[in-house]
Amino acid sequence: MLDYLSQIRSLQSMLQGKEISCTQLTRAYLDAMDRDNPKLNAYVTATPDAALAAAKRVDEKLANGEALSPLEGIPMTLKDNISTKDIPTTCCSKILEGYVPIYDATVWKLLKEQNAVLLGKTNMDEFAMGSSCETSCFGGAANPHNLDHVAGGSSGGVASAVGGNLAAYGLGSDTGGSIRQPASFCGLVGLKPTYGAVSRFGLVAYASSLDQIGPITTNVEDTALVYDQICQYDPMDSTSKGAQGDTASHLKDPVQGKKIGIAKEYLEGLKPEVEAAIQQAMKTYEAMGCELVEISLPALKYALPVYYILACAEASSNLGRYDGIRYGYQADSYRNTHDMICKTRSAGFGKEVQRRILLGTYVLSSGYYDAYYKKAQNLRGSIVRTFREAFAHCDAILAPTVPTTSFPKGFTSQDPIVTYQTDICTVPVNICGLPAVSIPCGFDEKNLPIGMQLIGNRFAEANILNLAWQFEQATQGQFNKKVEGGLAL
Ligand code: GLN
């Protein structure tokens, strides 16, 4: 199987051609998980019974000669902040210990209806706050390319599983880079859709004005196939708009003459190998007949503080619901209700989550609201305008996904500010609600993957996936290198 060709389509043609049954395929993945998950720590909950039950339904359909839906029978995973009825959803936090949702997130409902085979729920930074998966109460997930490095975060478990061949694809969430950064660290493709394109009903909220759900896959076509199935309008999410869902049919569109914006603000402070890979990608696009245009994004310098002020403010409000009464964990002994809530939250939330709740409460408190929260909201408008102006001159923007490659284990526990700074290239699109896809574009001196982003205008997913797919073809998937281990077909 060539790594840059659709894994989803080739698995489905194997199923349809009766080369393998869905039960055999599912068992092969479950065996691979038993063998490799102890070293990757990608999965926090395995769901073999549900997976085999779905596989059985697919095999029955195949036996009856029925056609399969686009994702039917394909083994996959969900980040553990996507609600799954009767299956624990912990957000990798002690405070949600024992919590089992009574309903499905819309994205899972859509996939379940077409017999997607859920292998299990994957590891993440606690409540999606982090960049290495190491704030998880289950410990971090390893990078399949190098086990001494992290898979990234916060959707690190999805990337570790997909990169380690323990799932064909997965869904993660991206509030400030959590799909694109782990995809970049693990040599995968990850799409953060336009705000409103994919329903967030059932996604445990971190920062509601920024959160989006999207796919992580091994190649661009699979990202398009998955996105097209999940971008439906949903009356259960008041911010849902839905989208066309026809990106897969535009992958092969010609890209000659398309204008790719390059902003110097995105190219500052990069690790030299990352910079070289981006420069090389620019040359590739030029050779493909695209035009590189210089653009300027002056307001980008405000993006990081704006993100951390708004995200923490929204988190402090969203996480108010974990009081020890309604969900999960509750402190054992306490004097009164106030003491119970205090003890539950102190023991239930990890250090990073507590830091963000405190920061968020601070920037929202009277006296500081104008100086921080309101100012950040105003600057958000400037950042939105800066991108709007840029898109008057180009069709898409090319930028690194992260200034660096995967961190060694333990790096993010040293200085939170240093870690926050590595989100500089991913947070701007969340602030503006724009779509961006991260695709592999090189390797560093340790052979760790490098990723780049194609950023599009609102609802221009088809355009950025088209540019991404054409790049993958032009470079013959040389950067989508598969690692050993996991399922081997
Ligand atoms: N690393 C960023 C943060 O810590 C992004 C997280 C996310 O997208 N969920 O907030």
Side-chain angles (χ1 to χ4, degrees):
M1 214 186 280
L2 283 171
D3 307 340
Y4 68 106
L5 300 181
S6 169
Q7 239 194 86
I8 292 175
R9 280 204 298 120
S10 61
L11 287 175
Q12 261 209 349
S13 73
M14 285 170 74
L15 293 174
Q16 250 143 355
K18 307 241 171 3
E19 285 171 56
I20 190 169
S21 72
C22 191
T23 304
Q24 285 168 329
L25 177 66
T26 303
R27 279 198 198 285
Y29 270 111
L30 292 169
D31 290 347
M33 281 161 64
D34 282 345
R35 199 178 55 237
D36 290 351
N37 198 53
K39 64 175 191 258
L40 289 175
N41 203 22
Y43 284 91
V44 296
T45 305
T47 51
D49 295 343
L52 289 166
K56 191 160 168 255
R57 288 194 293 276
V58 176
D59 284 333
E60 278 160 13
K61 279 184 85 169
L62 287 166
N64 292 336
E66 287 175 55
L68 300 183
S69 306
L71 303 175
E72 192 145 22
I74 307 299
M76 46 77 68
T77 185
L78 295 171
K79 182 175 180 177
D80 208 22
N81 59 352
I82 297 176
S83 299
T84 42
K85 186 170 182 278
D86 301 332
I87 299 169
T89 298
T90 67
C91 291
C92 294
S93 178
K94 183 178 158 69
I95 213 156
L96 279 177
E97 201 172 70
Y99 168 63
V100 180
I102 53 166
Y103 65 98
D104 284 322
T106 296
V107 285
W108 173 228
K109 185 174 157 277
L110 290 170
L111 298 179
K112 198 163 139 181
E113 274 164 10
Q114 51 171 291
N115 289 320
V117 177
L118 178 68
L119 296 165
K121 305 287 296 287
T122 23
N123 208 348
M124 56 183 280
D125 282 294
E126 184 179 6
F127 283 104
M129 297 174 188
S131 302
S132 66
C133 206
E134 288 171 309
T135 69
S136 162
C137 70
F138 299 103
N143 191 312
H145 288 261
N146 183 331
L147 298 178
D148 297 329
H149 283 252
V150 300
S154 64
S155 316
V158 178
S160 181
V162 176
N165 311 312
L166 297 184
Y169 72 92
L171 294 186
S173 66
D174 190 313
T175 304
S178 281
I179 288 173
R180 291 161 289 151
Q181 188 256 33
S184 166
F185 279 10
C186 294
L188 299 167
V189 177
L191 172 70
K192 196 295 272 185
T194 306
Y195 188 76
V198 176
S199 166
R200 286 122 20 105
F201 178 71
L203 170 72
V204 179
Y206 161 17
S208 309
S209 77
L210 304 158
D211 300 337
Q212 260 294 286
I213 294 176
I216 295 183
T217 68
T218 60
N219 62 86
V220 177
E221 185 172 350
D222 284 352
T223 282
L225 289 170
V226 177
Y227 169 73
D228 286 351
Q229 296 303 311
I230 60 172
C231 62
Q232 288 183 25
Y233 167 71
D234 181 11
M236 299 300 282
D237 172 359
S238 62
T239 62
S240 163
K241 188 162 190 302
Q244 290 287 335
D246 60 351
T247 63
S249 60
H250 287 290
L251 295 176
K252 297 181 182 164
D253 289 358
V255 292
Q256 281 88 350
K258 282 204 176 175
K259 291 191 175 133
I260 299 192
I262 309 291
K264 63 172 185 323
E265 291 88 351
Y266 266 121
L267 301 174
E268 287 157 8
L270 306 179
K271 179 179 167 116
E273 287 102 321
V274 175
E275 192 176 346
I278 300 295
Q279 297 290 352
Q280 189 56 43
M282 289 182 204
K283 290 200 187 109
T284 306
Y285 274 113
E286 264 185 324
M288 287 157 62
C290 294
E291 190 190 331
L292 301 182
V293 292
E294 208 177 300
I295 53 162
S296 145
L297 297 169
L300 213 64
K301 57 177 177 292
Y302 305 122
L304 207 56
V306 165
Y307 169 79
Y308 273 96
I309 289 170
L310 297 182
C312 291
E314 293 181 30
S316 74
S317 161
N318 275 328
L319 273 61
R321 72 192 68 178
Y322 306 107
D323 51 11
I325 298 168
R326 286 174 285 192
Y327 306 90
Y329 168 79
Q330 184 182 71
D332 299 332
S333 59
Y334 43 84
R335 291 189 306 277
N336 51 40
T337 311
H338 182 267
D339 189 44
M340 185 279 288
I341 294 174
C342 193
K343 283 190 172 136
T344 298
R345 287 169 69 85
S346 301
F349 288 133
K351 210 167 104 194
E352 183 60 28
V353 173
Q354 293 193 26
R355 174 169 21 241
R356 294 194 191 200
I357 292 172
L358 288 172
L359 279 171
T361 313
Y362 179 79
V363 300
L364 287 174
S365 58
S366 73
Y368 295 104
Y369 181 90
D370 284 353
Y372 293 104
Y373 184 73
K374 201 158 162 227
K375 202 166 179 181
Q377 285 289 28
N378 289 338
L379 285 168
R380 182 176 198 169
S382 310
I383 301 168
V384 169
R385 278 192 296 280
T386 219
F387 274 92
R388 197 178 295 150
E389 280 155 24
F391 278 117
H393 306 286
C394 62
D395 300 300
I397 298 168
L398 174 65
T401 307
V402 196
T404 173
T405 48
S406 166
F407 318 124
K409 282 183 171 166
F411 170 85
T412 56
S413 60
Q414 292 160 22
D415 181 346
I417 302 289
V418 173
T419 303
Y420 296 171
Q421 280 166 343
T422 63
D423 293 332
I424 182 71
C425 301
T426 47
V427 297
V429 304
N430 300 79
I431 291 171
C432 304
L434 299 170
V437 62
S438 177
I439 60 171
C441 67
F443 295 96
D444 73 0
E445 77 291 354
K446 282 175 99 177
N447 236 353
L448 288 164
I450 297 170
M452 68 179 189
Q453 307 181 80
L454 288 153
I455 301 167
N457 215 338
R458 293 181 74 235
F459 295 102
E461 277 82 354
N463 180 37
I464 53 172
L465 291 174
N466 170 220
L467 283 163
W469 187 85
Q470 292 286 8
F471 177 86
E472 206 178 57
Q473 297 297 309
T475 54
Q476 296 184 331
Q478 60 178 293
F479 308 120
N480 307 37
K481 203 177 64 155
K482 228 176 175 171
V483 300
E484 293 195 354
L487 179 89
L489 282 180

